[in-house]
Amino acid sequence: MRQRSLHPNTRGNLPSELSGLVGRGGELGELARLLESSRLVTVTGVGGVGKSRLVLAAARRVAGRAAEPWDSAPSDSAPEGLREGPQERYCDGVWLAELASVREPELLELTLAEALGLTDHTTRPPRTVLAEHLAGRRLLLVLDGFEQLVEETADLVRELLVRAPGLRVLAAGRRPLALDGEQTFPLAPPDPEEALALLCARAAAADPGFAVTEAGRPVLVELCARLDGLPLALELAAGRLRALSPAQLLARLEDRFALLTGGTRGALPRHRALRTAIGWSHELCTAPERLLWARLSVFAGQFDLDAAEYVCSGPDLPVESVLDLVGELLAQSLLCRVETGAGVRYRMLETVRLYGAGWLESLGDAARLRRRHRDWYTGLATWCELDWFSPRQHEVAALMEAELANLRLALECCLEDPEEVHLGQYLAGTLWFYWAGCGRLTEGRHWLDRALENLPQAGYEGSRLKALWVLGYVAALQGDTVASMSALYECRDGAARTENPVAAAYAVHRLGCLALVSDDMARAGELLGSALERYREAGELNSNVLMCQVELAMALAFQGDLAGALSLCREVRDICEERGERWTKAYALYVLAYAALDAGGTGEARRLLAECVAINHVFRDLVGLVLAVELLALVTVTEGEPAEAAVLQGAAEPMWDGVGLRLFGSGYFNAPRLMCQERAGELLGAERYAACAGHGRALALDELVERALRGPEPKPKPVPPLPRPRSAAGRAAAGYPGSRKPAGSPEGEPAG
C-alpha cells in the first residue's frame, strides 16, 4: 500500500512523496496555468511517460498552496474571475482516485466514493451520493488511470462538474475524456538533459556508490536516447545499474522488455515492468487497433497517412478504416502527431514500436509487411524523382528528409535478398536527386556501393546502369576520380552492349563532369556537348540535362568564352523559372555571377550569389553553397572589404570537409579562392587574415548564410561639421557654447 498522509492544514488523501520529481518544471508551471483557467485538465501520454508522477506533483503543489495562511491571498491585480486563490478554491482538499485496477463500470462510482472517504449504506445510487457530497464543496479531484473505462468516466465526470460548481478535475490517462471545456495537456518524454538527470538520480538512490564520470557520460546519454527518455524505462534501467555497468546495460537493450523489469515495491502493477506498462495499453485496444499497431511497427521514424493506408490495409483491415484507427491510437497516446515541412506525420516511440513489432512477428506477417513497406517507398522515390523537375522541388526535398529513416529501411530490405538486389540498385539510383541535391553525398555513396557489390542480374541491367552513373556522379563531386571513372566507364560500356541510349547519355555527361573538375576543359566541353546532343535525341529533359548545360557553360567560362557561357546559363535560368526548378538554377546563377564579376559588376555578382546561397541552403546542397561562398568572398574583397572576405573564406573550409576534396582539386575552381586570399592577405597582413579566417571557421552554417545574405556592414559616412554662423545672433540660435540670445528676441525664434 502507498503511504497516505493528510497535510496538517488541509484535507485530502494524496500519498506522501517518496522520491522527488526530477525536472518537469515547465510542465508543472503549465499545468498550474491550465488549472487556473479550466475546471477539467487531462494529462495524456504513452504508458511510462510520467503522467501519474506529474499530476501528483501538481496536486501536491496545489494542496500545499491551499494550506497557506488565509492572509496570503492573491494580488488584486489578477484578472477578474481569477482572483480566487487556492485557499478558497480547494478549501475542501485535494483527493486522488486511482482507477487503473477498476474494470467493471459498476465499480467506478464506488471507487470514487471510497477515495473521497464516503460511507453510505443506503439504497441510494453511488452516483447520487457522490453528486450530493460534492455539490457544496470546493475541491480538486485527481483521476489516474481511467483508460479502460473512458466512456463511463467521461459520463460521470460530466455529471459531477455540472452538479458541483466548486469541483475541479485533474486527470491522467492515455487519451482525453473528450468533454466540453476540457484542456488537454499532452506529455512528452523529458528533454535529453532532464532524462539524464533522472537516470542518474534514480541510479544514485539505488546504489550510493554510483557516480557519473566524464568517460561514462556518453554511454549514459546513449542509454537515455535508446530508451526514448521514457521515465518508467529510465527508472527501471537505474535499478539494473546496481548489477550492470552502463555499457553492459546498453549492450543488452535489444530485449528491453525482458531486461527492464522489477521496479520498486509499492509501485502500481502496471508500472512494475516496461512490458506490463506497454501491455496495459495493448489490452485496452480493440482487435483492429492492435492489428494496426502491429503493422505500423514496420515504419521507421515518421510516416504519413497515405503510407499507413497502403502498407497496413488488407482484407482484415479495410483501407477506409485506417484513418479512424489512427485517430484512436493518437487518442490513446500510442501515436504522436508531428508537424513537419512535409506536412502532418505520425510516429511511435521506439518502445511502443518494438512492442508492436513483437506482435507482428508472432502473427507471422512481418516479412510481407516489410515488402509492402519497401514497395511503397520505392514508388514514392519514383514519383519524387519526377516531381524534382517541377515547382514542388522544395516539397520533394522536405519529404525525402522526413522519409530518410524509411528509405534506409526500404534499401535494407532490398539488399537483404539476393533475388531483389536489382530493386536496391533501382532505388539507390532513383534517389540521385536527394544524394546530390540535398547534401547527402556520403549517404548516397554508402548505398550505391552496397547496391553495386553484387553481380548484374539478367533482365535488370537498366537498374544497375542507373546506379553506376549516379555513383560516378557522387564520387566525382567527392573528388574520388578513380571510383568515378571506373563506374562511368562500366556504365558507358554496359549501355552500348544493351543498346540503352539514355544510360549512355548519362555516362557521357558524368564523364564530362569528371573532366570538368579534373581541369581538362577541352575534353569536358567535348563530352558535355555530346551528352546534350544525346539527351535531345532521347527526348530527355530534366534537372540533369539542364545541369549538363550549366557544366558546359562552366567549361567555356574557364576557357575565357564568357559570351558563350552567358548564353547557355541565361537559357537554363529561363527554363528553370518556367518549370519552377530552383536547384539547377542556383548553379546557373553561379556562372552568371562569375561572368558579372569578370566584367566589373560586383553589385550584380553579389545579388546573383545571394540568391544562389539562399537556394542551396534551402536544399542543403553543400557543393553549390560552398562554391557560391568562395566566389562571394572574391566579390567581397573586390568591394574593398578584405576582413569580411577572409571570414567567408574561413567559413568555407569546414564545408569542404563535409563534401570531399577541397574545390575538387581543380585549379580552375580554386582560382577565385587563391585570388581572394592573395588580395585580402596583402591588405590585412598575415596575422589579421588568419584571425578573420579563424572567426569564419567557427561560424555555424546558419550564421554563415545569414552573414552572406546580409553582406558587409555599410561603413558610416563621416558627418560634415555644421557651418559656423557668422553673426552672434546666429551662433546663439544654433546653440553654440558661450553665445547669448540678444535681448528682446522672442523665445524660440532667431533674433534679427
Side-chain angles (χ1 to χ4, degrees):
M1 288 290 290
R2 293 188 178 188
Q3 295 178 337
R4 298 188 181 275
S5 63
L6 298 182
H7 193 285
N9 295 318
T10 191
R11 301 178 60 199
N13 67 338
L14 296 180
S16 59
E17 189 173 26
L18 299 179
S19 58
L21 185 69
V22 177
R24 298 295 201 185
E27 289 89 342
L28 280 173
E30 180 65 12
L31 269 187
R33 187 189 68 78
L34 291 175
L35 282 170
E36 288 285 330
S37 59
S38 177
R39 294 180 59 210
L40 172 60
V41 177
T42 304
V43 177
T44 61
V46 71
V49 80
K51 302 181 298 295
S52 299
R53 190 181 288 273
L54 182 69
V55 296
L56 282 175
R60 289 189 188 100
R61 178 176 291 190
V62 166
R65 291 180 61 207
E68 291 172 358
W70 286 95
D71 59 3
S72 60
S75 167
D76 288 340
S77 63
E80 191 67 33
L82 295 181
R83 294 179 184 171
E84 175 189 53
Q87 300 87 347
E88 297 88 355
R89 186 178 302 130
Y90 307 122
C91 58
D92 290 303
V94 180
W95 301 84
L96 169 66
E98 293 176 339
L99 306 177
S101 61
V102 181
R103 298 303 179 96
E104 298 296 327
E106 296 78 12
L107 299 178
L108 182 61
E109 291 94 340
L110 290 175
T111 303
L112 258 65
E114 181 184 355
L116 289 165
L118 300 182
T119 302
D120 185 85
H121 298 294
T122 69
T123 57
R124 294 185 302 166
R127 181 173 297 213
T128 302
V129 174
L130 277 172
E132 290 181 357
H133 173 77
L134 294 172
R137 286 176 168 79
R138 303 164 74 82
L139 58 82
L140 177 66
L141 179 60
V142 182
L143 304 179
D144 186 20
F146 56 80
E147 300 90 344
Q148 73 286 358
L149 296 173
V150 62
E151 294 296 334
E152 294 82 358
T153 304
D155 183 62
L156 176 58
V157 168
R158 181 191 299 110
E159 182 174 343
L160 294 180
L161 287 171
V162 169
R163 297 181 62 178
L167 172 67
R168 292 186 183 232
V169 177
L170 175 60
R174 289 171 174 79
R175 62 185 304 163
L177 291 166
L179 295 177
D180 289 342
E182 179 182 27
Q183 290 279 355
T184 303
F185 183 77
L187 183 62
D191 63 45
E193 284 299 319
E194 285 193 354
L196 179 62
L198 174 61
L199 176 64
C200 295
R202 298 297 184 253
D207 178 8
F210 175 84
V212 182
T213 64
E214 195 62 33
R217 181 184 172 89
V219 178
L220 293 170
V221 170
E222 175 66 14
L223 189 59
C224 293
R226 290 281 300 279
L227 293 173
D228 298 313
L230 206 62
L232 173 61
L234 295 175
E235 298 204 12
L236 294 172
R240 287 297 187 189
L241 288 174
R242 286 177 293 188
L244 299 172
S245 71
Q248 288 174 316
L249 184 56
L250 187 61
R252 291 168 175 257
L253 274 188
E254 292 305 318
D255 189 6
R256 65 184 68 185
F257 295 111
L259 177 67
L260 300 181
T261 60
T264 58
R265 292 187 180 88
L268 291 173
R270 69 185 192 277
H271 287 172
R272 294 190 65 183
L274 189 60
R275 182 184 295 277
T276 307
I278 305 301
W280 174 258
S281 292
H282 197 261
E283 290 178 20
L284 298 176
C285 290
T286 64
E289 290 165 5
R290 293 177 190 175
L291 184 57
L292 181 59
W293 178 354
R295 291 180 177 178
L296 289 175
S297 69
V298 300
F299 290 99
Q302 303 171 0
F303 56 90
D304 62 16
L305 182 61
D306 289 340
E309 288 177 333
Y310 176 86
V311 174
C312 300
S313 63
D316 49 356
L317 199 67
V319 66
E320 59 271 16
S321 71
V322 172
L323 174 58
D324 289 338
L325 292 173
V326 164
E328 287 301 313
L329 295 180
L330 281 169
Q332 297 176 65
S333 303
L334 294 166
L335 283 180
C336 303
R337 185 177 186 270
V338 185
E339 295 283 350
T340 72
V344 175
R345 303 177 64 74
Y346 309 99
R347 69 176 180 87
M348 278 183 174
L349 290 179
E350 184 64 9
T351 303
V352 175
R353 191 193 70 78
L354 286 174
Y355 193 95
W359 274 86
L360 190 62
E361 288 289 347
S362 69
L363 294 171
D365 207 18
R368 184 184 70 86
L369 264 292
R370 285 202 67 185
R371 288 193 297 272
R372 285 184 67 84
H373 175 277
R374 176 207 63 200
D375 293 346
W376 171 263
Y377 284 100
T378 302
L380 181 66
T382 302
W383 280 110
C384 284
E385 182 187 27
L386 296 173
D387 261 1
W388 181 254
F389 189 53
S390 79
R392 294 178 294 280
Q393 200 172 55
H394 185 204
E395 288 83 350
V396 168
L399 179 59
M400 291 293 97
E401 194 66 24
E403 295 288 13
L404 178 57
N406 283 303
L407 291 169
R408 288 169 174 164
L409 197 61
L411 284 161
E412 284 282 2
C413 182
C414 294
L415 300 177
E416 284 173 354
D417 186 348
E419 298 299 319
E420 296 186 341
V421 168
H422 64 281
L423 291 174
Q425 293 171 349
Y426 171 81
L427 181 53
T430 297
L431 289 169
W432 67 265
F433 62 93
Y434 184 50
W435 311 140
C438 301
R440 292 286 180 179
L441 292 177
T442 304
E443 174 103 15
R445 181 71 182 272
H446 167 78
W447 291 112
L448 290 160
D449 282 339
R450 279 195 59 186
L452 290 166
E453 286 174 354
N454 299 274
L455 295 174
Q457 290 177 280
Y460 299 107
E461 291 85 358
S463 295
R464 183 176 178 84
L465 293 177
K466 185 169 189 176
L468 283 168
W469 74 252
V470 176
L471 173 60
Y473 180 27
V474 169
L477 294 178
Q478 291 180 311
D480 190 347
T481 303
V482 174
S484 177
M485 191 173 296
S486 174
L488 292 173
Y489 280 144
E490 184 182 347
C491 179
R492 185 193 62 182
D493 295 345
R497 186 175 60 255
T498 59
E499 299 182 348
N500 188 328
V502 174
Y506 279 100
V508 172
H509 171 189
R510 295 310 171 190
L511 283 168
C513 176
L514 183 60
L516 178 70
V517 298
S518 302
D519 284 352
D520 189 348
M521 295 303 154
R523 179 166 170 75
E526 177 187 340
L527 289 170
L528 293 168
S530 173
L532 283 174
E533 287 298 324
R534 292 169 183 262
Y535 282 140
R536 292 189 185 102
E537 289 173 5
E540 194 87 347
L541 179 61
N542 54 34
S543 299
N544 279 303
V545 176
L546 295 181
M547 186 64 78
C548 183
Q549 191 163 328
V550 171
E551 289 161 352
L552 177 58
M554 288 180 180
L556 295 177
F558 288 148
Q559 295 177 89
D561 184 2
L562 291 177
L566 282 170
S567 175
L568 287 171
C569 284
R570 284 169 178 160
E571 182 182 354
V572 170
R573 181 184 59 188
D574 292 344
I575 295 173
C576 287
E577 289 175 352
E578 177 186 342
R579 296 296 187 108
E581 212 279 2
R582 299 177 65 203
W583 175 64
T584 309
K585 178 185 176 183
Y587 285 87
L589 295 176
Y590 169 83
V591 179
L592 293 174
Y594 182 95
L597 178 60
D598 186 78
T602 55
E604 175 69 1
R606 175 172 290 281
R607 184 188 67 78
L608 292 167
L609 287 171
E611 186 177 356
C612 183
V613 165
I615 293 172
N616 284 316
H617 186 50
V618 165
F619 289 109
R620 299 178 67 251
D621 182 358
L622 284 185
V623 175
L625 180 59
V626 71
L627 286 175
V629 169
E630 293 279 14
L631 190 57
L632 188 59
L634 180 57
V635 171
T636 303
V637 74
T638 305
E639 291 174 329
E641 298 289 348
E644 183 66 15
V647 170
L648 293 175
Q649 286 208 304
E653 292 176 15
M655 280 198 286
W656 282 114
D657 295 338
V659 173
L661 184 63
R662 183 176 298 180
L663 289 157
F664 320 114
S666 161
Y668 285 98
F669 281 97
N670 199 36
R673 180 178 183 84
L674 292 178
M675 193 181 304
C676 175
Q677 189 172 348
E678 181 181 354
R679 291 184 187 177
E682 288 175 355
L683 293 168
L684 296 173
E687 186 175 344
R688 190 173 175 215
Y689 176 87
C692 292
H695 177 67
R697 282 190 292 272
L699 288 175
L701 188 60
D702 288 342
E703 293 175 320
L704 165 63
V705 169
E706 181 184 352
R707 190 170 187 135
L709 295 178
R710 185 178 65 236
E713 296 292 338
K715 294 180 179 178
K717 295 181 179 179
V719 180
L722 291 171
R724 183 177 177 84
R726 296 180 180 179
S727 66
R731 289 196 298 275
Y736 276 80
S739 303
R740 290 187 179 181
K741 185 182 284 288
S745 298
E747 191 68 31
E749 296 181 9

